[in-house]
Structure formats: C-alpha cells, structure tokens
Amino acid sequence: MSTRSSGLSGLTSARQVGRLAPVRRASTVDLIADRLREAVVDGSLPPGAALGEAELAFQLGVSRGPLREAMQRLTAEGLLVIPRRRGLAVRTMTPEDVRDIHWLRARIEPELGRRILARPLAERKTVLAELGTEVKRMQRALKKDDARALGDAYLDFHRGLAAWGGSIRLARMMATLLIETRLCTFSMYEHFEVAVDLVPEHAAFVDALAAEDAERFTALMRAHLDAEVRRLLSEPETAKEDDADRLLAETPDEPQPLDRLDLPEGI
Amino acid sequence: MSTRSSGLSGLTSARQVGRLAPVRRASTVDLIADRLREAVVDGSLPPGAALGEAELAFQLGVSRGPLREAMQRLTAEGLLVIPRRRGLAVRTMTPEDVRDIHWLRARIEPELGRRILARPLAERKTVLAELGTEVKRMQRALKKDDARALGDAYLDFHRGLAAWGGSIRLARMMATLLIETRLCTFSMYEHFEVAVDLVPEHAAFVDALAAEDAERFTALMRAHLDAEVRRLLSEPETAKEDDADRLLAETPDEPQPLDRLDLPEGI
DNA sequence: TATTGTAAGTTTGTCGACAATACGATGATC
DNA sequence: GATCATCGTATTGTCGACAAACTTACAATA
C-alpha cells in the first residue's frame, strides 16, 4: 500500500503509478496441482498408475488434505480418475478418447490462425518468433531422436498458439486438451515414437502465419489433426495392457462407460 | 461379482446377463459439488457472493474438508474463484467473458446438428422428442412470464444437444459453458429478462433437425449465439455493481487481468 | 484532518487422528 | 478340488484442532 501512493512525480497520475503487477502467490494446492500435472505430462505418472495418497503426500512433503484438493482439481480436468477407495490413478485414454479430443481440437485450433493474424503487428512478430523457436526445438529434438523433447516442444507450440490466439478460458481448455493428447500418446504406444512428419507440418504453420494466410493455416491445421489421429490409432492393437492399466481401464466389454470419466455429474 | 455369474438361463450368454448398470454411489465430494453447482445455476449463490466455508459447511452438514475439495473442483471448472484467505466466491462474468464463452460455443454447437443427424433413426426420434419437450417447457415459461423457468429449459435444451451430439467429454465441457452462460446472465442483468425471441429460435432448431437439414441447423445456431451475445451485451452499463460484487470484480482499471480467473497455471 | 501504526478478531490453511470400508489371504466345508 | 466365508490389514473418507495470516477497527501523531 505504501508503495502505491509514492508517486515519483506530480505529473504521473496516481492512477498510473498504481499500475503494478499484482503479487501472485501460488497457493499450496496450486503448487501440488502443477506438480501432478507435470508428472503426468512427463510420464513419471503413467496412465493407469495407482499411487496411494499417503505415499504421494509424503513424496511431495505435504499433508493429505491439500493433496486431495489438488487431486479433485485434476479430476475435474479429466486427467485423473478417483475410483472410490482405490486411490488416485492417471486416466487411460481409449481410441474413442483420441477421436473425441481431436474432434474438439479441430473445432478450435484451425480458427486460431485467423485470430492471431487479427492482432497488432508487433504482437504478431512476437508470436512468430516464439513459434519459430518451438519449431527449432522440434528440429533439434528430431536430430537427437529425442521423442520426449519433441513432444515437449510440440506441446509448447500449441500452447503458444492457444495463448496468443485466444482468451484465458480458451488457453486453459486447450492446455487440458493438449495434456490429454499427451496422455493419448502414453496410452496408445508402449514407447514414444518419433513422428518425422511433425516438424515440416509445424514449420508450415509458421510459414502460413508469416504469409498472413489464414486459410492455409486452417487447412494445414485440419490436415495435421487428422494425421495425428491416424498416427495414434494406426496401431490400436499395441495398446498397453499392463496389470496396472487394467486397474482402471474398462473391462473388455465396457460395462460402465459413464463411470470411467468420473464426471462431475454436471450433465 | 456373484450376481454377474448367476445366469438365468443357459441361452442368455453370460455376457449379456452381466450387463448391469454399474452401482454408482456418488461420493460426498460429488454431492457437495453438485449442490454448489445447483446453487450457482439457480441463483442462490449470485456472482460475487462471498460465503465463509465454515458457514457453508455447516449449512451443507459436512465438514470443511470435503467442502474444500468440492470447491477446488468448481474452481477448475471456472465457476468459483478462491482469492487467498478470502473464502470462496462465485465468479463475476465480464463482457469479455461473454464474448469468449459464446465464441467457444459457436465452435461447437453448430456442429452438433450434423452429429445428431448421423445417429441411427431410433435415437434421432428420441432426441427430437426430448428437445421438443424442452421447447414446450420454454413456451409455458414464456406464457407465465417466468424467466427462471425459461432459463432452466434453455439450459436443458442445450445440454440435451450436447449429450446427444457429442461425447462425454464434450457434454461435460458444454455443461460448464452453459452454466457460465447462466452466470453471464446473472452478472450482466440486474434481473432476469424474458427474451421473447428465444422460443421461436429453439423451435426452429427442432424443425431443422426434423427436416434433417444440418446446414440450416448450423446457420440457425450461429445466428442464435450471435443474438445471445448481443442480448447480453446490449446493456453493458447496467452491470451489477453491488458491494458484494466488488469483492471480486476487477477494479475499474483492471490491474490483474490474469489473476481473476485463478487459473490452474496449466498454461 | 488525514494517515499510519498497532492490536484484536476472524477466517483460512494445514495437519494429525479416528473410523469405516474394501481388499487379500487363509482356512473350512461341500 | 473348488468355492465360500471369515478375519486381518491397509487405505481411504471424514472430522476436529491448531496456528498463521489477513482484515478491520481504533488510536496516535504529524
């Protein structure tokens, strides 16, 4: 408060001086949720992984209370499933989920090019630079045959797209969808697989934006998402079938199609 | 398990007999979350309402633990905001939120007609019947000048659309968006207002579906969403400015545009 | 008179503990 | 030999309590 009223000069209005970035202390729950999300993204909590909350809480150095709160948040995002009295588990994605997620992405992402191009020139330049950086990261990862790094750059590329092309709400939604996409990768393939096409596809995105060609961007994105679904579903037979997985995956004849999502009953 | 293997006859395959609806006991957290969502939808927790968690927990007859977990879930859905050390509060929607929400809805809902029409005939009939019922509810509500009931029927109509036209994930997402739409109404207008156009607009949706005209449905939905944004934003000056509201609404010069959402940092 | 400093009160954030429940193993019976 | 029942264990779901932090009110000083 004291800082607020201390104007540097009589000319700057008090209002302007007051424009400070708000202090943003993340709550413990935020921290835990971030950490869990991170663990899901980088694979240290693979789909189907069942971990007791006491153990998890100990690892994170917090009590079970905040951990449970964070779990609820991730559950609402669809990343975790909480079967009653069976701890927490990372969601296992099914081929149906893959189609579903990509259908949603296909509604949103193709439009983002148009919205980015509608921004002022200075911002557009920033966006292009940022996206270009991610593409370079992807290239480097590809050379090193590092599928993990490639996936990370992929995530950041699309996150950037959503952040610049949309609102906070959209960015949040896309962030969740992207993590779910990553989960699809984990759920569908036993190991990561370097998709060679990915880099040129994304370079083309940047090109289209640089050329201010929204139509081309849209078409490219549609094609990319289609290709990704095909990539993911091309080997549906190799889906993991570990014991840990079975813990939550629906039984072969899926008796509880609704229960799996543990959805908040908002419907 | 025992029930599963008890076949009634040798002719019915064990598989068929086993197809029982899973027992779905809602956890306490589910119950609380539903109750809170309900309260937000029906307006008993108006935007900006600040309620202590001790008080709330007492009212709901539960301890603070589960209540806090439910709050985290609603927070992830964007319905609640949890300013640190200030209890929970229902989100106050801004004109920007209105545009944002409807932009997202406009990506999804127009497509739903096509997806519903792709379903088998028997299901299509069910959908039409259901949607028709909701339209009748809207008509009745309009006659009685009951804006609340009209809004409820509106919600159920679109919920049905999402439930039949999409996946579980999409339905869940739409459910949240619809509740947020309702919150927009609360945030924008002092009182409910009966929108006369709403009923014919929705009757037209049903007509288009009955005629199996996906294109018309798409166009109608786009027009409807456009109109709704205009309706909501036509009187941006009459936005509520109660004291309770101020508690969370950004200050006039919005110093913390990011903080307001209390987003899970997934970006 | 306005502003700042102080103190009290209230609320949240976190933790530990208890009890209920589901699961697994072992033993008994048909 | 297989199936069912019972017991023990481990884990969750819930609650109560403590401590820290924020807000508000009041008083003192410039």
Side-chain angles (χ1 to χ4, degrees), chain A residues 230-241:
Chain A
R230 274 199 304 274
R231 271 196 287 267
L232 283 169
L233 295 184
S234 61
E235 336 183 341
E237 305 314 321
T238 49
K240 290 172 76 176
E241 284 252 294

Side-chain angles (χ1 to χ4, degrees), chain B residues 131-170:
Chain B
L131 294 179
T133 310
E134 296 305 336
V135 173
K136 287 206 192 80
R137 267 180 70 197
M138 291 175 76
Q139 279 170 335
R140 275 199 302 274
L142 184 62
K143 264 183 200 152
K144 290 184 190 167
D145 212 54
D146 185 347
R148 182 64 53 97
L150 184 64
D152 288 342
Y154 174 87
L155 274 190
D156 284 334
F157 183 97
H158 288 263
R159 271 201 267 253
L161 229 46
W164 288 103
S167 58
I168 293 182
R169 179 175 288 101
L170 184 134

